[in-house]
């Protein structure tokens, strides 16, 4: 498949143009374009430019409102409710995350319950924003049912990502950000586009048989990582980003969805934890001793290190030629 090298600056410009053409206001378009550019920069291709046509489809169909202004409320000093009003998550998060940082700094533990937010991106920006302020963070969101839980063949769970960040003095934070499915759906879709096969243990076909064919998985189901253990974590994500905050499960999201290929507005839970207040101020040395012991292992790398190592020197990305042609057509 033909590919094109393109600068991150151009990626950003094309995204802003395509999103504003589809009805998003400038600030929302800038927020989403920034998240797509940063995903390409970090090598998180499943949530990079590949997602733009889906965002545009949802803006055009009216499922997502590119002019929505998020509404914030504060039921307690440690709880921020943000109704994104069917707007795009990166824009709503720009407004809500500074409030979560402030509340966590004061209260020790605080939560941000995001509602009706169209999330089509990686979750690390949420938790890294907390870590950059010296706080730890946990974030999760459900999606559409594309994963069969352990013991089932039916698609009942979302890919349900879970992210965690931990602040480190004079270093990039420790961050993991992962689908609880054995593979992010975007990676399976990309493999199907490229005609590549996947390793075993990613998904099943319509008959419930293991398969390495991404097209068969897309018409069958993904499976969770780690069997029943990953399935349990995914179940937790369904409840924490669904019922707990007055939102639907992935199954409910699907019933309300118009199947335009874009992100269903839904829930996301983000929790901030203040190690200074929770530990009494003595957390850094213990954490660093532990993490440095891990780093001393010759074949071990900490999660987040690959992405952070790319920052500062990656200025271009490689995109399938037909995808970039589609994006240019949306932009001009
Ligand atoms: P990966 O499996 O690529 O990576 C998961 C995590 O594991 C990353 O933090 C990664 O760090 C770390 N990691 C990978 N390899 C190693 C290794 N050898 N040693 C140590 N750590 C390692 O991610 P997924 O494919 O599961 O998810 C991709 C993205 O998809 C995520 O950003 C997620 O938020 C997003 N997503 C979003 C959804 C949504 O609805 N918005 C739905 C599902 C997924 P590093 O980055 O440094 O490689």
């Amino acid at each position: 498949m033909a590919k094109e090298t393109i600068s991150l600056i151009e990626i950003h410009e094309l995204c802003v143009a395509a999103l504003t053409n589809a009805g998003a206001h400038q600030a929302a378009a800038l927020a989403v374009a920034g998240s797509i550019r940063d995903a390409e920069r970090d090598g998180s291709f499943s949530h990079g430019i590949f997602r733009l046509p889906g965002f545009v489809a949802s803006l055009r169909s009216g499922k997502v409102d590119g002019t929505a202004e998020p509404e914030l409320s504060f039921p307690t000093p440690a709880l921020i409710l943000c109704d994104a009003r069917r707007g795009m998550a990166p824009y709503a998060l720009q407004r809500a995350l500074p409030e979560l940082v402030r509340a966590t700094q004061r209260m020790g533990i605080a939560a941000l319950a995001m509602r009706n937010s169209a999330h089509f991106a990686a979750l690390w920006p949420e938790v890294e924003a907390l870590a950059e302020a010296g706080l730890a963070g946990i974030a999760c969101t459900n999606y559409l049912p594309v994963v069969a839980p352990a013991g089932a063949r039916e698609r009942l769970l979302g890919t349900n990502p879970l992210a965690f960040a931990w602040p480190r003095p004079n270093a990039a934070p420790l961050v993991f950000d992962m689908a609880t499915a054995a593979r992010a759906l975007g990676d399976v879709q990309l493999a199907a586009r490229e005609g590549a096969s996947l390793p075993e243990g990613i998904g099943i076909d319509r008959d419930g048989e293991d398969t390495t064919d991404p097209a068969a998985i897309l018409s069958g189901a993904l499976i969770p990582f780690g069997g029943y253990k990953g399935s349990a974590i995914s179940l937790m994500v369904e409840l924490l980003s669904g019922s707990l905050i007055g939102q639907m499960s992935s199954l409910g999201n699907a019933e309300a969805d118009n199947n335009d290929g874009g992100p269903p507005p839904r829930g996301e839970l983000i929790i901030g934890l203040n190690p200074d207040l929770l530990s009494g101020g003595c957390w850094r040395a213990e954490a660093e001793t532990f993490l440095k012991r891990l780093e001393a292992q010759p074949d071990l790398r900490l999660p987040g290190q690959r992405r952070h190592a790319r920052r500062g020197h990656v200025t271009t990305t490689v995109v399938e030629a037909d995808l970039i042609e589609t994006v240019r057509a949306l932009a001009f």
Side-chain angles (χ1 to χ4, degrees), residues 42-47 51 118-126 141-144 158-164 175-187 263-264 266 299-309:
D42 283 11
S44 304
F45 303 114
S46 62
H47 289 80
R51 295 289 175 180
H119 210 301
F120 222 24
L123 264 59
W124 59 259
E126 285 87 306
T141 182
N142 61 27
Y143 178 55
L144 291 167
T159 44
N160 296 359
L162 178 66
F164 169 77
V175 183
F176 76 71
D177 176 16
M178 56 181 211
T180 53
R183 237 354 121 80
L185 178 65
D187 282 334
R266 61 191 190 279
D299 296 324
L300 183 151
R301 76 163 171 87
L302 294 178
Q305 277 178 347
R306 178 199 59 82
R307 277 192 312 101
H308 291 128

Side-chain angles (χ1 to χ4, degrees), residues 122-174:
L123 264 59
W124 59 259
E126 285 87 306
V127 291
E128 280 196 17
L130 287 155
E132 278 159 16
L135 306 167
I138 301 172
C140 63
T141 182
N142 61 27
Y143 178 55
L144 291 167
V146 290
V147 177
R153 288 179 179 189
E154 206 182 330
R155 298 151 66 122
L156 299 169
L157 301 169
T159 44
N160 296 359
L162 178 66
F164 169 77
W166 178 265
R168 301 193 67 187
N170 309 315
L174 168 82

Side-chain angles (χ1 to χ4, degrees), residues 47 72 216 231 237 275 301:
H47 289 80
L72 294 175
S231 201
V237 171
R301 76 163 171 87

